[in-house]
mmCIF file of all heavy atoms in Angstrom:
data_model
loop_
_atom_site.group_PDB
_atom_site.id
_atom_site.type_symbol
_atom_site.label_atom_id
_atom_site.label_comp_id
_atom_site.label_asym_id
_atom_site.label_seq_id
_atom_site.Cartn_x
_atom_site.Cartn_y
_atom_site.Cartn_z
ATOM 1 N N GLY A 177 6.227 -10.150 -10.227
ATOM 2 C CA GLY A 177 7.611 -9.715 -10.111
ATOM 3 C C GLY A 177 7.812 -8.772 -8.954
ATOM 4 O O GLY A 177 7.289 -8.996 -7.837
ATOM 5 N N ALA A 178 8.509 -7.665 -9.197
ATOM 6 C CA ALA A 178 8.894 -6.726 -8.150
ATOM 7 C C ALA A 178 7.790 -5.698 -7.892
ATOM 8 O O ALA A 178 7.996 -4.505 -8.025
ATOM 9 C CB ALA A 178 10.211 -6.047 -8.512
ATOM 10 N N TRP A 179 6.631 -6.192 -7.519
ATOM 11 C CA TRP A 179 5.523 -5.329 -7.139
ATOM 12 C C TRP A 179 4.556 -6.126 -6.283
ATOM 13 O O TRP A 179 4.548 -7.348 -6.308
ATOM 14 C CB TRP A 179 4.806 -4.723 -8.358
ATOM 15 C CG TRP A 179 4.281 -5.724 -9.352
ATOM 16 C CD1 TRP A 179 4.931 -6.278 -10.380
ATOM 17 C CD2 TRP A 179 2.949 -6.286 -9.366
ATOM 18 N NE1 TRP A 179 4.122 -7.144 -11.067
ATOM 19 C CE2 TRP A 179 2.897 -7.174 -10.476
ATOM 20 C CE3 TRP A 179 1.802 -6.124 -8.576
ATOM 21 C CZ2 TRP A 179 1.745 -7.897 -10.791
ATOM 22 C CZ3 TRP A 179 0.657 -6.842 -8.909
ATOM 23 C CH2 TRP A 179 0.626 -7.716 -10.000
ATOM 24 N N LEU A 180 3.750 -5.410 -5.519
ATOM 25 C CA LEU A 180 2.855 -6.045 -4.557
ATOM 26 C C LEU A 180 1.509 -5.361 -4.547
ATOM 27 O O LEU A 180 1.414 -4.155 -4.767
ATOM 28 C CB LEU A 180 3.461 -5.987 -3.138
ATOM 29 C CG LEU A 180 4.846 -6.647 -2.925
ATOM 30 C CD1 LEU A 180 5.418 -6.213 -1.589
ATOM 31 C CD2 LEU A 180 4.724 -8.155 -3.008
ATOM 32 N N GLY A 181 0.463 -6.125 -4.274
ATOM 33 C CA GLY A 181 -0.844 -5.550 -3.961
ATOM 34 C C GLY A 181 -1.679 -5.145 -5.163
ATOM 35 O O GLY A 181 -1.288 -5.280 -6.325
ATOM 36 N N GLU A 182 -2.845 -4.604 -4.863
ATOM 37 C CA GLU A 182 -3.848 -4.250 -5.872
ATOM 38 C C GLU A 182 -3.371 -3.211 -6.846
ATOM 39 O O GLU A 182 -3.702 -3.254 -8.035
ATOM 40 C CB GLU A 182 -5.112 -3.765 -5.161
ATOM 41 C CG GLU A 182 -6.221 -3.301 -6.086
ATOM 42 C CD GLU A 182 -7.407 -2.723 -5.346
ATOM 43 O OE1 GLU A 182 -7.387 -2.702 -4.088
ATOM 44 O OE2 GLU A 182 -8.365 -2.289 -6.022
ATOM 45 N N TYR A 183 -2.596 -2.252 -6.389
ATOM 46 C CA TYR A 183 -2.189 -1.136 -7.246
ATOM 47 C C TYR A 183 -0.788 -1.293 -7.815
ATOM 48 O O TYR A 183 -0.365 -0.504 -8.635
ATOM 49 C CB TYR A 183 -2.301 0.186 -6.468
ATOM 50 C CG TYR A 183 -3.697 0.488 -6.007
ATOM 51 C CD1 TYR A 183 -4.101 0.205 -4.695
ATOM 52 C CD2 TYR A 183 -4.624 1.014 -6.883
ATOM 53 C CE1 TYR A 183 -5.385 0.456 -4.279
ATOM 54 C CE2 TYR A 183 -5.944 1.269 -6.482
ATOM 55 C CZ TYR A 183 -6.320 0.990 -5.169
ATOM 56 O OH TYR A 183 -7.614 1.238 -4.758
ATOM 57 N N GLY A 184 -0.081 -2.330 -7.385
ATOM 58 C CA GLY A 184 1.242 -2.579 -7.910
ATOM 59 C C GLY A 184 1.181 -3.090 -9.334
ATOM 60 O O GLY A 184 0.178 -3.670 -9.778
ATOM 61 N N GLY A 185 2.269 -2.895 -10.080
ATOM 62 C CA GLY A 185 2.342 -3.402 -11.448
ATOM 63 C C GLY A 185 1.621 -2.569 -12.475
ATOM 64 O O GLY A 185 1.470 -2.999 -13.619
ATOM 65 N N LEU A 186 1.156 -1.375 -12.097
ATOM 66 C CA LEU A 186 0.464 -0.472 -13.012
ATOM 67 C C LEU A 186 1.231 0.831 -13.160
ATOM 68 O O LEU A 186 2.013 1.212 -12.270
ATOM 69 C CB LEU A 186 -0.953 -0.178 -12.511
ATOM 70 C CG LEU A 186 -1.936 -1.360 -12.536
ATOM 71 C CD1 LEU A 186 -3.202 -0.997 -11.760
ATOM 72 C CD2 LEU A 186 -2.281 -1.728 -13.977
ATOM 73 N N PRO A 187 1.041 1.563 -14.264
ATOM 74 C CA PRO A 187 1.742 2.836 -14.423
ATOM 75 C C PRO A 187 1.418 3.820 -13.305
ATOM 76 O O PRO A 187 0.286 3.887 -12.832
ATOM 77 C CB PRO A 187 1.238 3.363 -15.770
ATOM 78 C CG PRO A 187 0.768 2.148 -16.499
ATOM 79 C CD PRO A 187 0.222 1.245 -15.445
ATOM 80 N N GLY A 188 2.416 4.574 -12.898
ATOM 81 C CA GLY A 188 2.219 5.551 -11.838
ATOM 82 C C GLY A 188 1.732 6.880 -12.355
ATOM 83 O O GLY A 188 1.708 7.148 -13.566
ATOM 84 N N ARG A 189 1.317 7.712 -11.428
ATOM 85 C CA ARG A 189 0.882 9.083 -11.758
ATOM 86 C C ARG A 189 2.069 10.038 -11.635
ATOM 87 O O ARG A 189 3.133 9.709 -11.144
ATOM 88 C CB ARG A 189 -0.241 9.515 -10.823
ATOM 89 C CG ARG A 189 -1.440 8.577 -10.823
ATOM 90 C CD ARG A 189 -2.551 9.093 -9.915
ATOM 91 N NE ARG A 189 -3.587 8.089 -9.736
ATOM 92 C CZ ARG A 189 -4.703 8.272 -9.018
ATOM 93 N NH1 ARG A 189 -4.916 9.438 -8.412
ATOM 94 N NH2 ARG A 189 -5.598 7.308 -8.892
ATOM 95 N N GLN A 190 1.839 11.258 -12.074
ATOM 96 C CA GLN A 190 2.854 12.298 -11.933
ATOM 97 C C GLN A 190 2.186 13.648 -11.835
ATOM 98 O O GLN A 190 1.245 13.939 -12.576
ATOM 99 C CB GLN A 190 3.828 12.299 -13.134
ATOM 100 C CG GLN A 190 4.898 13.374 -13.002
ATOM 101 C CD GLN A 190 5.860 13.422 -14.173
ATOM 102 O OE1 GLN A 190 7.005 13.804 -14.035
ATOM 103 N NE2 GLN A 190 5.389 13.046 -15.364
ATOM 104 N N GLY A 191 2.645 14.472 -10.903
ATOM 105 C CA GLY A 191 2.117 15.812 -10.761
ATOM 106 C C GLY A 191 3.239 16.817 -10.579
ATOM 107 O O GLY A 191 4.418 16.480 -10.546
ATOM 108 N N THR A 192 2.852 18.074 -10.459
ATOM 109 C CA THR A 192 3.811 19.159 -10.249
ATOM 110 C C THR A 192 4.163 19.211 -8.775
ATOM 111 O O THR A 192 3.309 19.163 -7.892
ATOM 112 C CB THR A 192 3.197 20.508 -10.672
ATOM 113 O OG1 THR A 192 2.847 20.425 -12.058
ATOM 114 C CG2 THR A 192 4.175 21.643 -10.459
ATOM 115 N N VAL A 193 5.464 19.321 -8.497
ATOM 116 C CA VAL A 193 5.962 19.361 -7.130
ATOM 117 C C VAL A 193 7.026 20.449 -6.996
ATOM 118 O O VAL A 193 7.592 20.899 -7.973
ATOM 119 C CB VAL A 193 6.569 18.004 -6.715
ATOM 120 C CG1 VAL A 193 5.513 16.899 -6.743
ATOM 121 C CG2 VAL A 193 7.766 17.621 -7.606
ATOM 122 N N THR A 194 7.267 20.829 -5.737
ATOM 123 C CA THR A 194 8.392 21.688 -5.411
ATOM 124 C C THR A 194 9.309 20.921 -4.488
ATOM 125 O O THR A 194 8.850 20.358 -3.473
ATOM 126 C CB THR A 194 7.935 22.990 -4.735
ATOM 127 O OG1 THR A 194 7.125 23.738 -5.656
ATOM 128 C CG2 THR A 194 9.140 23.854 -4.338
ATOM 129 N N PHE A 195 10.598 20.879 -4.822
ATOM 130 C CA PHE A 195 11.570 20.114 -4.039
ATOM 131 C C PHE A 195 12.911 20.826 -4.135
ATOM 132 O O PHE A 195 13.394 21.123 -5.241
ATOM 133 C CB PHE A 195 11.658 18.678 -4.569
ATOM 134 C CG PHE A 195 12.628 17.795 -3.837
ATOM 135 C CD1 PHE A 195 12.514 17.571 -2.481
ATOM 136 C CD2 PHE A 195 13.663 17.154 -4.536
ATOM 137 C CE1 PHE A 195 13.400 16.734 -1.801
ATOM 138 C CE2 PHE A 195 14.545 16.303 -3.877
ATOM 139 C CZ PHE A 195 14.403 16.091 -2.511
ATOM 140 N N GLN A 196 13.479 21.101 -2.987
ATOM 141 C CA GLN A 196 14.797 21.757 -2.915
ATOM 142 C C GLN A 196 14.856 23.028 -3.763
ATOM 143 O O GLN A 196 15.817 23.284 -4.492
ATOM 144 C CB GLN A 196 15.900 20.762 -3.325
ATOM 145 C CG GLN A 196 15.993 19.577 -2.399
ATOM 146 C CD GLN A 196 17.060 18.580 -2.797
ATOM 147 O OE1 GLN A 196 17.558 18.582 -3.928
ATOM 148 N NE2 GLN A 196 17.445 17.685 -1.879
ATOM 149 N N GLY A 197 13.767 23.807 -3.687
ATOM 150 C CA GLY A 197 13.724 25.118 -4.327
ATOM 151 C C GLY A 197 13.367 25.122 -5.788
ATOM 152 O O GLY A 197 13.339 26.177 -6.427
ATOM 153 N N ARG A 198 13.040 23.945 -6.357
ATOM 154 C CA ARG A 198 12.692 23.847 -7.780
ATOM 155 C C ARG A 198 11.281 23.322 -7.913
ATOM 156 O O ARG A 198 10.838 22.478 -7.142
ATOM 157 C CB ARG A 198 13.688 22.948 -8.529
ATOM 158 C CG ARG A 198 15.116 23.442 -8.473
ATOM 159 C CD ARG A 198 16.085 22.388 -8.990
ATOM 160 N NE ARG A 198 15.784 22.030 -10.371
ATOM 161 C CZ ARG A 198 15.654 20.780 -10.802
ATOM 162 N NH1 ARG A 198 15.738 19.748 -9.950
ATOM 163 N NH2 ARG A 198 15.416 20.527 -12.071
ATOM 164 N N THR A 199 10.578 23.790 -8.957
ATOM 165 C CA THR A 199 9.183 23.380 -9.175
ATOM 166 C C THR A 199 9.025 22.836 -10.598
ATOM 167 O O THR A 199 9.547 23.433 -11.564
ATOM 168 C CB THR A 199 8.222 24.549 -8.967
ATOM 169 O OG1 THR A 199 8.317 24.999 -7.607
ATOM 170 C CG2 THR A 199 6.768 24.144 -9.231
ATOM 171 N N GLY A 200 8.286 21.740 -10.725
ATOM 172 C CA GLY A 200 8.038 21.149 -12.033
ATOM 173 C C GLY A 200 7.498 19.749 -11.884
ATOM 174 O O GLY A 200 7.168 19.306 -10.775
ATOM 175 N N PRO A 201 7.373 18.987 -12.986
ATOM 176 C CA PRO A 201 6.926 17.604 -12.885
ATOM 177 C C PRO A 201 7.884 16.763 -12.017
ATOM 178 O O PRO A 201 9.092 17.015 -12.004
ATOM 179 C CB PRO A 201 6.954 17.117 -14.348
ATOM 180 C CG PRO A 201 6.906 18.364 -15.178
ATOM 181 C CD PRO A 201 7.633 19.402 -14.374
ATOM 182 N N TRP A 202 7.341 15.766 -11.352
ATOM 183 C CA TRP A 202 8.124 14.936 -10.450
ATOM 184 C C TRP A 202 9.405 14.433 -11.122
ATOM 185 O O TRP A 202 10.493 14.503 -10.523
ATOM 186 C CB TRP A 202 7.287 13.732 -9.977
ATOM 187 C CG TRP A 202 8.027 12.795 -9.094
ATOM 188 C CD1 TRP A 202 8.911 11.824 -9.481
ATOM 189 C CD2 TRP A 202 7.968 12.734 -7.664
ATOM 190 N NE1 TRP A 202 9.401 11.152 -8.373
ATOM 191 C CE2 TRP A 202 8.848 11.696 -7.255
ATOM 192 C CE3 TRP A 202 7.263 13.448 -6.698
ATOM 193 C CZ2 TRP A 202 9.017 11.356 -5.920
ATOM 194 C CZ3 TRP A 202 7.428 13.103 -5.356
ATOM 195 C CH2 TRP A 202 8.289 12.086 -4.974
ATOM 196 N N ASP A 203 9.296 13.891 -12.337
ATOM 197 C CA ASP A 203 10.471 13.297 -12.998
ATOM 198 C C ASP A 203 11.579 14.323 -13.174
ATOM 199 O O ASP A 203 12.773 13.988 -13.047
ATOM 200 C CB ASP A 203 10.085 12.751 -14.372
ATOM 201 C CG ASP A 203 9.101 11.598 -14.299
ATOM 202 O OD1 ASP A 203 8.903 11.047 -13.197
ATOM 203 O OD2 ASP A 203 8.518 11.266 -15.350
ATOM 204 N N ASP A 204 11.218 15.559 -13.464
ATOM 205 C CA ASP A 204 12.229 16.598 -13.704
ATOM 206 C C ASP A 204 12.850 17.098 -12.406
ATOM 207 O O ASP A 204 14.007 17.534 -12.403
ATOM 208 C CB ASP A 204 11.592 17.790 -14.439
ATOM 209 C CG ASP A 204 11.107 17.441 -15.827
ATOM 210 O OD1 ASP A 204 11.387 16.329 -16.300
ATOM 211 O OD2 ASP A 204 10.396 18.283 -16.430
ATOM 212 N N ILE A 205 12.085 17.059 -11.328
ATOM 213 C CA ILE A 205 12.530 17.703 -10.086
ATOM 214 C C ILE A 205 13.095 16.693 -9.092
ATOM 215 O O ILE A 205 14.186 16.897 -8.534
ATOM 216 C CB ILE A 205 11.364 18.471 -9.443
ATOM 217 C CG1 ILE A 205 10.794 19.507 -10.430
ATOM 218 C CG2 ILE A 205 11.815 19.159 -8.151
ATOM 219 C CD1 ILE A 205 11.800 20.497 -10.959
#
C-alpha cells in the first residue's frame, strides 16, 4: 500500500522533542 522499502509498513518510533518552544513526545508537540 502507501509505504515503500525495507522499513516501510512498520510502526514508527517516538522520542522527546522541542519544537516551537514546547518540549514533550513527538505526538504531543
Side-chain angles (χ1 to χ4, degrees):
W179 57 273
L180 301 167
E182 177 184 359
Y183 298 99
L186 291 169
R189 304 182 190 182
Q190 181 181 208
T192 301
V193 297
T194 297
F195 181 57
Q196 297 179 344
R198 300 169 60 230
T199 298
W202 178 281
D203 296 346
D204 296 351
I205 303 303

